[in-house]
């Protein structure tokens, strides 16, 4: 079973509000960037990645948590992050039954996470692959 099928199965097994919430988060993440891929990690967690991890989704007993791997480095002008605020890297959005989320703000966070990952990749790339070297003609 591929990761997307595992995520489908997880969501189908959550027959209450948590399944609907996780499905909605997933839909919005995938709509934001068609190059985002789904992964299945840590024995049961949906993960969305593009050039590195973007976010992990988990359904807990009383909440759905969307944790951004590099959330501490992302702009959050709409204050979506409401958990893990003291950490050095990760930030999360905890959604409880009846909570609504700002789709525009979520998509902005997703785009910022992709951009962060791409910038990080460029910094790690060897100098020759970062761009053409310009030599002066003498």
């Amino acid at each position: 079973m591929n990761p997307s099928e595992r995520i489908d199965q997880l969501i189908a097994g959550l027959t209450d509000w948590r399944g609907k919430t996780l499905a909605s988060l997933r839909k919005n993440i995938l709509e934001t960037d068609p190059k985002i891929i789904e992964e299945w990690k840590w024995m049961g967690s949906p993960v969305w990645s593009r050039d590195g991890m973007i976010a992990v989704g988990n359904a807990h007993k009383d909440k759905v948590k969307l944790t951004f791997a590099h959330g501490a480095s992302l702009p959050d002008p709409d204050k979506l992050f409401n958990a893990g605020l003291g950490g050095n890297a990760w930030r999360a959005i905890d959604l409880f039954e009846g909570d609504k989320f700002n789709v525009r703000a979520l998509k902005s966070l997703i785009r910022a996470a992709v951009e962060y990952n791409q910038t990080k990749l460029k910094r790690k790339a060897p100098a020759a692959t970062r761009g053409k070297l310009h030599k002066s003609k003498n």
Side-chain angles (χ1 to χ4, degrees):
M1 190 178 315
N2 70 39
S4 293
E5 291 168 338
R6 287 178 180 247
I7 296 169
D8 290 340
Q9 189 176 50
L10 172 69
I11 290 170
L14 296 167
T15 58
D16 59 8
W17 66 272
R18 296 171 305 151
K20 291 180 179 88
T21 301
L22 189 56
S24 181
L25 288 169
R26 178 192 195 192
K27 175 182 172 281
N28 283 288
I29 290 167
L30 295 174
E31 282 177 0
T32 302
D33 187 327
K35 292 183 180 175
I36 290 175
I37 61 167
E38 297 190 303
E39 299 175 281
W40 187 256
K41 294 189 177 190
W42 304 297
M43 300 183 338
S45 295
V47 175
W48 294 276
S49 299
R50 172 148 187 229
D51 299 320
M53 187 185 305
I54 295 169
V56 180
N58 293 103
H60 298 273
K61 184 178 178 180
D62 64 341
K63 65 186 170 193
V64 171
K65 180 181 277 293
L66 186 65
T67 305
F68 283 73
H70 303 288
S73 299
L74 303 179
D76 182 23
D78 295 289
K79 306 284 187 239
L80 289 185
F81 292 133
N82 61 5
L85 301 176
N88 292 331
W90 298 73
R91 294 283 187 276
I93 302 168
D94 284 353
L95 296 165
F96 297 89
E97 188 170 8
D99 285 354
K100 303 285 184 227
F101 61 88
N102 181 332
V103 172
R104 180 201 51 76
L106 176 66
K107 288 184 175 187
S108 290
L109 270 178
I110 301 293
R111 283 189 289 275
V114 169
E115 186 177 314
Y116 176 86
N117 286 349
Q118 291 172 337
T119 300
K120 197 170 70 170
L121 270 181
K122 286 177 188 166
R123 283 194 306 252
K124 286 184 178 179
T129 62
R130 280 189 218 141
K132 295 180 180 176
L133 298 175
H134 298 285
K135 294 182 180 179
S136 60
K137 295 179 183 177
N138 289 343

